Amino acid sequence: METKRLSRPSPSFRLRSSSLNAVRLRRVFDLFDHNGDGEITVEELGLALDRLGLGADPTDLRFTVETYIREGRKGLAFEDFEKLHSALGDALFGPVGEEGEDGDGEMEEAFKVFDEDGDGFISEAELQAVLAKLGLVEGRSMACVHEMICSVDRNHDGRVDFNEFKGMMRSISLKSA
């Protein structure tokens, strides 16, 4: 199997808004923790990366991840995962500076992950495709996907535009603060 490598890291890897980044990182951790035991093993991380089409060389992945797994554990606890994410961000983009907390550029990048056809909207089909790629149960039910869209669709057009997405992300940020 051929391993895909990203030619240029996505600027959305680390959002400038620390509260949005913490919420997003926790969600990523929970998605990668396939068996829900509070730890991400190297195997679970490899599986998640493969599902996202970002396969990594298993030896390189094991070497990188195992340095962050605390003694006596089988995988990364959330705090370990945060440290790994921070170290990768620093290596790829340099240390976190004192940039503003605007975050619209990063939010646009996050929006583009869901807006697969680039039309400026997240449709039910696009949301379902992303959820399915992540192996989430919610992606199997169009009714569940429809409910998710309706919960943030303020103008009731059956799809999520960037402003609706941004409002949803900011409300998540405020709830977690």
Side-chain angles (χ1 to χ4, degrees):
M1 175 170 65
E2 183 180 321
T3 300
K4 295 180 184 177
R5 297 202 185 270
L6 296 175
S7 58
R8 189 174 61 90
S10 168
S12 65
F13 179 84
R14 178 172 56 203
L15 300 175
R16 284 182 272 177
S17 170
S18 58
S19 58
L20 277 178
N21 203 35
V23 169
R24 183 195 64 174
L25 196 58
R26 183 69 215 196
R27 286 191 171 178
V28 169
F29 180 86
D30 292 341
L31 290 173
F32 287 7
D33 181 14
H34 188 70
N35 63 2
D37 66 356
E39 293 183 352
I40 299 174
T41 63
V42 173
E43 292 75 21
E44 287 174 321
L45 186 57
L47 176 65
L49 293 173
D50 285 344
R51 284 181 174 166
L52 291 170
L54 303 171
D57 177 71
T59 304
D60 291 345
L61 185 62
R62 181 166 298 284
F63 176 77
T64 301
V65 172
E66 284 184 345
T67 60
Y68 289 89
I69 297 174
R70 287 181 269 162
E71 193 172 328
R73 291 192 168 258
K74 294 178 184 175
L76 297 165
F78 180 68
E79 297 76 25
D80 307 324
F81 185 66
E82 283 181 307
K83 289 176 186 172
L84 172 62
H85 181 265
S86 178
L88 290 172
D90 290 350
L92 294 170
F93 306 107
V96 177
E98 295 298 318
E99 312 117 270
E101 296 251 335
D102 171 15
D104 274 1
E106 286 83 1
M107 225 177 283
E108 287 172 7
E109 286 295 320
F111 181 80
K112 288 177 187 177
V113 169
F114 292 91
D115 180 18
E116 293 183 326
D117 65 7
D119 68 352
F121 300 96
I122 300 170
S123 68
E124 290 180 3
E126 288 170 321
L127 178 58
Q128 184 177 36
V130 172
L131 295 173
K133 284 179 189 175
L134 291 171
L136 297 174
V137 173
E138 293 88 344
R140 295 184 198 146
S141 165
M142 188 52 89
C144 184
V145 170
H146 178 74
E147 282 182 42
M148 293 170 90
I149 292 283
C150 288
S151 71
V152 296
D153 181 17
R154 300 291 172 231
N155 64 1
H156 308 291
D157 65 354
R159 51 195 187 164
V160 177
D161 63 34
F162 178 66
N163 287 326
E164 292 165 335
F165 179 80
K166 192 165 66 170
M168 175 196 68
M169 293 302 290
R170 289 202 171 128
S171 72
I172 290 169
S173 172
L174 292 173
K175 288 176 189 173
S176 70

